[in-house]
Amino acid sequence: MENGFVDCHCHISAREFEEDLEEVIQRTIEAGVQTLIAVTEEVGEFDRVLQLSDRYPGLVAPCLGLHPLQACGNLEQRSVKPEDLESALPLFYKHRDRLVAVGEIGLDFTPWCAPTAQDREDQLAVFIQQLHIAKELDLPVNVHSRSAAQVTIATMREQGVSRALLHNFAGRPSVALEAVKAGYFLSFPPAICTNQQVRNEPRNIFMSCQYIADVKGVSSQTVQQATTNNAYRLFTRARKM
């Protein structure tokens, strides 16, 4: 049995954490979190997450990936385009031995983010290409899915993806069961419970743990052990860090 939590999906390399990163990391360790599966959203984050892996060896487990939505200034977002992936492609291969997963990748068909058929086609093309990279590098994928659950799962199955985490899954239970049948994992962020904090951070994993324990009628320790073991089953390289 493992002795600590694994945060399966965190954005520790995001700009929001730059000012107080040391304090966030300290709170993370004090909360009993032993591994951070650290995802990226844009190619500009790639160097940052790798630097954090060097800075906090054994704690920060880096992933590289392009999110289906990309920043376009003034806090607005647009759908990812195939050309966004061009500069990222060589970096997946350059750092292949350091990565624990490809992510955060996926589909987001929210109407105001992907208003046109071309937006959705572009997202799907980038998603499929990153799925191919993950298979080539023998890595699991860390997946975002919003307003696109059925398409996301169907696409992964069609592409022969067998190892995946569906992060913060918001689809119907029947669709979630399709993911379970395919062998995929689903994560539960603190948003599943009443969380009044403006910004989430890894130490809040205990909220999810306690909520799941209450729903299932088991101890929080049982949930912690089961979820940590599951995390290392999926992210096998993280266990070896």
Side-chain angles (χ1 to χ4, degrees), residues 88-211:
L89 283 176
L91 299 176
F92 287 103
Y93 297 96
K94 178 180 179 180
H95 301 292
R96 61 190 299 168
D97 294 332
R98 301 186 60 185
L99 305 182
V100 299
V102 172
E104 177 178 4
I105 66 176
L107 300 173
D108 194 320
F109 291 170
T110 309
W112 53 88
C113 295
T116 70
Q118 186 62 55
D119 289 331
R120 296 187 286 276
E121 289 175 13
D122 286 345
Q123 283 191 25
L124 192 58
V126 173
F127 183 38
I128 289 174
Q129 193 164 359
Q130 291 185 99
L131 293 177
H132 288 172
I133 292 169
K135 287 179 61 181
E136 185 177 349
L137 301 182
D138 192 25
L139 291 171
V141 288
N142 210 317
V143 178
H144 170 101
S145 171
R146 188 167 64 165
S147 301
Q150 288 182 312
V151 179
T152 300
I153 294 169
T155 300
M156 290 195 295
R157 297 185 79 163
E158 288 165 4
Q159 299 301 321
V161 172
S162 59
R163 295 185 293 155
L165 173 77
L166 288 162
H167 158 67
N168 197 11
F169 185 78
R172 295 191 304 273
S174 60
V175 181
L177 284 175
E178 289 301 311
V180 173
K181 290 176 184 176
Y184 305 149
F185 290 85
L186 292 90
S187 69
F188 296 87
I192 63 171
C193 52
T194 303
N195 180 9
Q196 301 300 323
Q197 289 191 270
V198 175
R199 185 183 69 164
N200 196 17
E201 61 178 270
R203 70 164 177 178
N204 293 335
I205 195 170
F206 78 91
M207 297 179 182
S208 297
C209 180
Q210 189 59 57
Y211 187 88

Side-chain angles (χ1 to χ4, degrees), residues 2-19:
E2 305 293 344
N3 297 316
F5 290 110
V6 176
D7 186 336
C8 287
H9 184 108
C10 70
H11 293 264
I12 204 70
S13 60
R15 289 186 295 272
E16 288 83 351
F17 287 109
E18 287 180 353
E19 291 187 4

Side-chain angles (χ1 to χ4, degrees), residues 13 21 24 43 57 62 66-67 77 103 119 123-124 135 149 173 178 198 202 234 237:
S13 60
L21 179 64
V24 169
V43 68
L66 292 192
H67 192 280
Q77 293 179 307
D119 289 331
Q123 283 191 25
L124 192 58
K135 287 179 61 181
E178 289 301 311
V198 175
L234 179 60
R237 290 188 179 182

